[in-house]
Amino acid sequence: MPEPGSPAMNHLFLAAEGGGPGTVPLLILIVALVGFGLAYFVVGPGKRSGPKRNADIPLAMRPYHADEELETTGMERAMAWGVALAVFASLFIPLYWLIEPTRINNAVDDFYDADVAAGRAEYQNACASCHGVNLEGGSAPHPSPDVDAPWPAPALDNIVARYADSEIVPDVREFILLTLIHGRPGTPMNAFGVAGGGVYSDNQLEQITTYILSVQTGEIPEAQAFVGRSGEDVFEVSCARCHGPNAEGYVGPQLWNVYERYGWSGEDDESLVQARNAVRQVLQEGRNLPGNAPMPSFALELTDDAIEAVIDHIESFQDLGGPRTAQIGGLPEGDD
């Protein structure tokens, strides 16, 4: 018997495959019914001829079959029905078993293609103006009216590669969905899901996510060397949009006393090294703060020298006595 998906099976059901998704089950049914009909009329009850006995007697008053008839024609009739049904099952079940997996896979592929097409249209309506028509990245107006510079919108065609080894984003699909549903407070990324106050249904956001994941390139730009540029320049380009131009905090926490929050006492070198290592780890690995946008990893965007330069810059304005929490939005009045 040919294996499912083999050339023999493909030739056998070539006409059925070309006739649409409803043709294969119809073909199976026709073949099974033909086999059933042959069994019925050749060896089954259909081969009997002659007038029916007791045709004019009501059913409730007819005498039942005699033992002689039950042990001969009655038994033969029952056996004939068994043969007919066995032929039907022997044709229908194998054919259905051979074809059904392919039909299901084709249906899944069709659903996937439909989701990708719908997601592409929804993406162009909702996302392309910021993230680019081809998911190459772009920009959006800064949410603060006092800032003229645009807010960089990341590329989405390599989001899987960017978070491939990330511990803060173990499931990229879920990460994209949650971002679409709830947005990122304080950034131009609005909430699109109904649960977050948007107007897009869960199904529409699933389709957008499917489309984004379907066009991944896996290409990540080489790390920026920042040759000849100071740590302050690196901070301005890579950090200021979330932590504020003066590290006062915006979407991300203020950094004026981040060393103290990581254990720096202000005096001994050991706690200074400990705090510096903690900041380096966050820059290289990222960090996930529940309820806030995750701190992405910069290991793929910045060279080791650039990371050290920005750490030096952060270290240059460290102070003691500020709030012990990673307060978002800058220090309260009187705490500077």
Side-chain angles (χ1 to χ4, degrees):
M1 182 175 291
E3 293 293 331
S6 66
M9 286 301 300
N10 291 337
H11 286 298
L12 180 61
F13 298 108
L14 182 61
E17 290 293 337
T23 307
V24 172
L26 181 61
L27 175 62
I28 295 175
L29 181 61
I30 291 174
V31 172
L33 288 176
V34 169
F36 177 79
L38 290 175
Y40 180 85
F41 289 106
V42 174
V43 299
K47 72 173 184 177
R48 293 193 305 152
S49 60
K52 293 184 178 180
R53 189 178 60 178
N54 301 325
D56 298 331
I57 302 176
L59 289 175
M61 300 179 63
R62 292 179 187 176
Y64 199 62
H65 305 296
D67 290 345
E68 181 181 353
E69 184 178 358
L70 288 174
E71 295 174 358
T72 54
T73 57
M75 184 178 295
E76 291 173 356
R77 189 181 305 114
M79 294 174 64
W81 274 108
V83 171
L85 293 175
V87 171
F88 178 85
S90 65
L91 291 172
F92 179 82
I93 294 177
L95 289 174
Y96 186 84
W97 178 81
L98 288 171
I99 297 174
E100 185 64 6
T102 301
R103 188 192 68 81
I104 291 177
N105 290 335
N106 290 338
V108 170
D109 291 341
D110 291 341
F111 280 124
Y112 175 78
D113 292 340
D115 278 349
V116 169
R120 182 185 297 110
E122 297 293 353
Y123 174 89
Q124 298 301 327
N125 291 332
C127 315
S129 60
C130 295
H131 293 280
V133 174
N134 298 313
L135 292 80
E136 71 277 12
S139 62
H142 199 284
S144 174
D146 299 328
V147 179
D148 295 330
W151 186 284
L156 299 178
D157 59 357
N158 60 2
I159 188 171
V160 172
R162 294 205 316 267
Y163 289 107
D165 300 319
S166 172
E167 295 183 1
I168 64 171
V169 182
D171 188 333
V172 176
R173 183 181 185 87
E174 182 181 9
F175 173 67
I176 296 173
L177 270 175
L178 290 177
T179 303
L180 286 170
I181 293 172
H182 300 289
R184 289 189 172 181
T187 77
M189 178 65 194
N190 297 319
F192 288 94
V194 174
V199 297
Y200 281 73
S201 67
D202 291 345
N203 185 57
Q204 288 174 305
L205 299 183
E206 287 275 3
Q207 291 171 338
I208 293 175
T209 302
T210 299
Y211 168 65
I212 292 174
L213 295 177
S214 73
V215 293
Q216 293 298 296
T217 64
E219 299 175 358
I220 301 177
E222 294 183 3
Q224 303 171 20
F226 286 97
V227 177
R229 301 179 66 177
S230 66
E232 184 176 1
D233 292 336
V234 179
F235 185 91
E236 181 180 353
V237 172
S238 301
C239 313
R241 67 176 180 266
C242 290
H243 294 282
N246 298 311
E248 72 276 14
Y250 185 59
V251 177
Q254 58 85 10
L255 301 176
W256 293 339
N257 68 334
V258 64
Y259 273 30
E260 182 184 20
R261 299 200 300 268
Y262 283 124
W264 180 49
S265 64
E267 297 179 358
D268 65 292
D269 293 337
E270 183 178 351
S271 63
L272 177 64
V273 172
Q274 175 184 337
R276 188 180 179 94
N277 289 339
V279 173
R280 182 184 299 108
Q281 181 179 2
V282 172
L283 285 169
Q284 292 176 337
E285 300 179 6
R287 185 181 182 189
N288 191 15
L289 296 174
N292 296 283
M295 164 80 178
S297 167
F298 285 91
L300 299 176
E301 298 182 29
L302 301 175
T303 62
D304 292 341
D305 290 341
I307 289 178
E308 293 302 319
V310 77
I311 293 175
D312 289 338
H313 173 65
I314 294 173
E315 187 174 316
S316 68
F317 54 73
Q318 289 304 296
D319 197 3
L320 299 174
R324 297 290 297 177
T325 59
Q327 181 174 341
I328 293 179
L331 293 173
E333 294 184 6
D335 284 351
D336 48 21

